[in-house]
Amino acid sequence: MAFSRVFSEPPSKSIFKTFAVMFLSLLASLYFIHYLADRCGTCIPTEKRQTGPVEGLYAPEIKDVVSLRRKSLLHKWTSTRPLVMRRDNLISRLEEVDEELPELEGYKRTVLNSLDADWEAGGSYVTGQLSSLGEGSKKLPQAIIIGVKKGGTRALLEFLRVHPDIRAVGAEPHFFDRNYDNGLDWYRDLMPKTLEGQITMEKTPSYFVTREAPARIYAMSRDTKLIVVVRDPVTRAISDYTQTLSKKPDIPTFESLTFKNRTTGLIDTSWSAIQIGIYAKHLDNWLQYFPMEQILFVSGERLITDPAGELGRVQDFLGLKRIITDKHFYFNQTKGFPCLKKAEGSSKPHCLGKTKGRTHPNIDPEVVQRLRDFYRPFNMKFYQMTGRTFGWDD
């Protein structure tokens, strides 16, 4: 009887009902699996790392606890700005804390070390970056960008990071001028991991004008290669003043700070903005420890007009293959300096942050000319010492 009831309906209706039940069961199963996956995704820390340039430093989809902690830490520094920001903007702003709030350097370093850790672990537009599996080892730097402030050191470092055989720490360690008592082990621990054949680098522009720095670097390694980015000392001084003015709008005018006595025209060489530009004087100190062939001078002006050419000289100096070429750059008319084009794994071009390329205030032309006259003999000596004419007095 039961058998007959099963087939009491036409075969077509029975098949249709069976198919409908199976289809609804499949839909229910898929919904249940999707629901479980969604629940697991909110409970288990997961991470989606960017493979291109870190346009948003901490992308919203990153859910791991460490990144959340870093977000909170960075928010303290940027409470008046959006949390998601360009990596280089943050580095530039935090580097300027050195002059305003030196007592916060330890806290600043915590933020910057976290920044570098996320930069490395998250992947980069830079080819040849290490993976997050921890390959390589930390080494003391074989090359250091030692100066000068407002000369273009940040641009040079960011451009060099494109090279697969260069690994550089993003934050300025200030080891040889401020943190020397912490010891070489502390310094080494700040460096990124490198593989065999890769060069470890750092940049701290204040080294060039620090009297103790040459002896200290020599004591670490007499083979260290030194790079100095130099710029027209008059333009550099105005740029230095512009940076300070952006943070302290109530400071005296550039003209009043330039002279000890405006009437006599005596230049105040104790003002750091003026003193840094006497390159020949500072170079004398370095030549007591390092031969000239171990120091490379990069033109800050040519770094803007011909970045590939200057980067070619740097790569030769470091003994590396010329990988960074014209194809890596384009000139940003708005910013007024070159930017990196899209590279492997990137989605957008990479330019320096908003703190770079500030508009300079109008300075009395007579004051500018007096400064040019002041620097001219020092520039001539510097040209002779380096064997290169930079064209600042043309």
Side-chain angles (χ1 to χ4, degrees):
M1 291 294 292
F3 185 83
S4 63
R5 280 200 298 271
V6 171
F7 289 96
S8 60
E9 297 178 324
S12 59
K13 289 185 177 182
S14 177
I15 293 172
F16 176 79
K17 282 186 176 182
T18 302
F19 177 80
V21 170
M22 292 176 63
F23 180 73
L24 291 174
S25 298
L26 178 61
L27 287 178
S29 299
L30 289 174
Y31 175 80
F32 184 68
I33 292 172
H34 174 75
Y35 173 78
L36 288 178
D38 184 65
R39 294 284 293 177
C40 292
T42 59
C43 297
I44 302 174
T46 58
E47 173 177 358
K48 181 181 179 181
R49 296 292 188 177
Q50 302 270 351
T51 57
V54 187
E55 191 68 21
L57 179 59
Y58 294 104
E61 64 267 34
I62 298 178
K63 298 175 183 177
D64 60 282
V65 177
V66 175
S67 287
L68 289 174
R69 177 181 65 79
R70 289 170 182 157
K71 281 184 180 180
S72 176
L73 200 58
L74 287 171
H75 184 66
K76 295 179 182 179
W77 283 100
T78 58
S79 57
T80 61
R81 307 272 183 117
L83 175 63
V84 179
M85 63 185 66
R86 295 183 65 87
R87 166 186 169 277
D88 48 287
N89 279 356
L90 182 59
I91 286 180
S92 297
R93 284 203 295 274
L94 292 184
E95 282 180 352
E96 292 179 5
V97 170
D98 291 340
E99 299 171 7
E100 285 187 86
L101 301 170
E103 66 273 16
L104 295 182
E105 184 174 344
Y107 183 72
K108 181 204 75 169
R109 183 151 305 288
T110 300
V111 178
L112 289 174
N113 286 346
S114 296
L115 181 64
D116 273 345
D118 265 12
W119 177 255
E120 293 172 15
S124 167
Y125 68 99
V126 180
T127 57
Q129 290 281 39
L130 301 181
S131 73
S132 58
L133 299 178
E135 299 99 326
S137 60
K138 294 186 176 185
K139 302 178 182 67
L140 292 169
Q142 296 94 47
I144 304 176
I145 300 173
I146 60 173
V148 298
K149 179 185 177 185
K150 308 310 297 178
T153 58
R154 170 56 56 187
L156 178 62
L157 186 68
E158 290 303 309
F159 294 163
L160 284 174
R161 290 176 83 135
V162 172
H163 201 292
D165 290 331
I166 292 177
R167 298 279 291 149
V169 59
E172 294 177 2
H174 283 282
F175 176 65
F176 296 105
D177 57 351
R178 301 179 189 171
N179 299 305
Y180 194 64
D181 290 341
N182 289 341
L184 286 174
D185 288 339
W186 177 89
Y187 184 48
R188 182 188 292 107
D189 193 54
L190 298 179
M191 299 300 131
K193 291 181 177 180
T194 54
L195 298 173
E196 187 68 30
Q198 290 183 315
I199 293 176
T200 302
M201 290 188 67
E202 71 115 316
K203 77 111 178 165
T204 304
S206 53
Y207 291 162
F208 188 63
V209 297
T210 300
R211 178 163 295 278
E212 300 82 7
R216 291 172 174 178
I217 294 177
Y218 183 85
M220 177 188 72
S221 173
R222 65 183 65 186
D223 298 321
T224 306
K225 293 186 176 182
L226 309 172
I227 300 173
V228 190
V229 187
V230 289
R231 182 183 183 187
D232 180 340
V234 177
T235 308
R236 197 221 65 81
I238 297 172
S239 180
D240 199 335
Y241 173 80
T242 303
Q243 176 178 300
T244 305
L245 183 66
S246 70
K247 297 178 289 186
K248 301 176 181 178
D250 57 342
I251 63 172
T253 64
F254 180 87
E255 289 83 353
S256 62
L257 291 170
T258 297
F259 298 100
K260 281 186 177 180
N261 187 313
R262 182 72 183 266
T263 304
T264 62
L266 183 62
I267 303 293
D268 187 358
T269 57
S270 66
W271 184 29
S272 63
I274 300 295
Q275 195 260 347
I276 290 173
I278 308 175
Y279 303 139
K281 172 187 172 183
H282 304 303
L283 180 55
D284 268 333
N285 189 34
W286 287 89
L287 292 178
Q288 303 302 312
Y289 295 89
F290 294 93
M292 187 62 77
E293 57 266 22
Q294 221 165 301
I295 308 175
L296 178 70
F297 292 90
V298 175
S299 167
E301 287 82 11
R302 285 182 59 82
L303 201 57
I304 294 174
T305 60
D306 182 21
E310 287 300 282
L311 267 292
R313 295 180 62 247
V314 177
Q315 291 170 94
D316 291 345
F317 175 70
L318 296 175
L320 299 175
K321 181 179 179 181
R322 286 199 177 197
I323 289 179
I324 308 170
T325 61
D326 283 324
K327 69 180 182 181
H328 288 93
F329 301 99
Y330 78 97
F331 191 81
N332 186 306
Q333 296 291 345
T334 303
K335 288 181 174 289
F337 49 73
C339 300
L340 289 168
K341 291 181 181 178
K342 292 189 294 183
E344 183 178 354
S346 71
S347 58
K348 293 183 179 180
H350 178 73
C351 287
L352 294 179
K354 295 178 181 178
T355 62
K356 305 301 181 183
R358 295 184 180 95
T359 301
H360 291 178
N362 292 322
I363 306 298
D364 185 342
E366 181 184 347
V367 174
V368 172
Q369 188 57 51
R370 295 291 287 272
L371 277 175
R372 294 208 176 280
D373 294 340
F374 167 77
Y375 278 120
R376 186 171 292 108
F378 296 108
N379 290 345
M380 293 299 107
K381 182 179 179 182
F382 183 66
Y383 297 166
Q384 292 174 351
M385 296 170 76
T386 61
R388 184 178 183 187
T389 301
F390 291 87
W392 302 324
D393 302 287
D394 294 347

